[in-house]
């Protein structure tokens, strides 16, 4: 037997007992996370050697809804591929959503490293590709 307690509108409890064969199993609803681009502050650095590459990418990301905190040059100008660094404070699920979005928009499909003690959530270094 399967038993249920029902709290009715007057606040009293009513016990209901049913046969197991009558019990209906309700699946747990799946929570779907949605990327909130406006919640991501991003630094975009040019590591490609192509003048204006960081600004062009930053403008594209800003048009999509990301908050751009800074653009500039990377520590070197010969990055072969674009790289993404993400704050250690971000959840695995939100990083996965960011990667999915940046994969479509910029071709970035993995995180190159973790950022610590920064004023922004992500750093993108634009590479030569």
């Amino acid at each position: 037997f399967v038993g249920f307690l029902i709290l009715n509108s007057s606040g009293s409890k009513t016990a209901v007992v049913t046969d197991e064969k009558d019990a209906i199993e309700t699946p747990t609803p799946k929570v779907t996370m949605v990327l909130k681009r406006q919640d991501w502050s991003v630094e975009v650095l040019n590591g490609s050697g192509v003048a204006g590459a960081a600004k062009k990418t930053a403008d594209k990301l800003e048009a999509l809804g990301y908050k751009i905190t800074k653009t500039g040059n990377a520590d070197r100008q010969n990055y072969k591929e674009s790289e993404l660094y993400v704050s250690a404070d971000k959840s695995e699920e939100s990083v996965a959503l960011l990667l999915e979005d940046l994969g479509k928009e910029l071709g970035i499909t993995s995180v190159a490293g973790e950022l610590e003690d920064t004023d922004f959530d992500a750093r993108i270094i634009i590479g030569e590709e």
Side-chain angles (χ1 to χ4, degrees):
F1 290 105
V2 176
F4 297 96
L5 277 180
I6 298 174
L7 186 62
N8 62 29
S9 59
S10 66
S12 63
K13 296 176 186 170
T14 305
V16 178
V17 178
T18 63
D19 259 333
E20 211 170 301
K21 64 180 182 190
D22 294 335
I24 298 171
E25 203 171 301
T26 306
T28 305
K30 208 175 202 185
V31 177
T32 304
M33 285 190 62
V34 176
L35 176 67
K36 294 180 182 172
R37 292 173 172 161
Q38 68 275 12
D39 291 348
W40 283 87
S41 57
V42 182
E43 176 185 67
V44 182
L45 302 177
N46 185 356
S48 70
V50 176
K55 173 84 169 94
K56 181 180 173 185
T57 300
D59 289 347
K60 180 178 184 174
L61 293 173
E62 197 166 47
L64 292 171
Y66 290 98
K67 290 186 297 189
I68 304 303
T69 58
K70 177 184 169 186
T71 59
N73 288 322
D75 57 339
R76 56 187 171 88
Q77 295 297 300
N78 61 349
Y79 282 84
K80 296 295 179 203
E81 297 179 359
S82 295
E83 295 183 1
L84 172 67
Y85 296 84
V86 179
S87 171
D89 297 340
K90 289 295 188 177
S91 73
E92 203 173 299
E93 293 86 5
S94 63
V95 172
L97 290 169
L98 177 69
L99 277 173
E100 184 179 325
D101 196 41
L102 293 181
K104 287 186 266 184
E105 300 298 335
L106 303 177
I108 297 173
T109 58
S110 64
V111 175
E114 201 172 83
L115 297 171
E116 293 183 19
D117 300 325
T118 62
D119 294 332
F120 49 89
D121 301 313
R123 172 184 294 137
I124 296 173
I125 300 177
I126 305 304
E128 295 173 0
E129 96 269 336

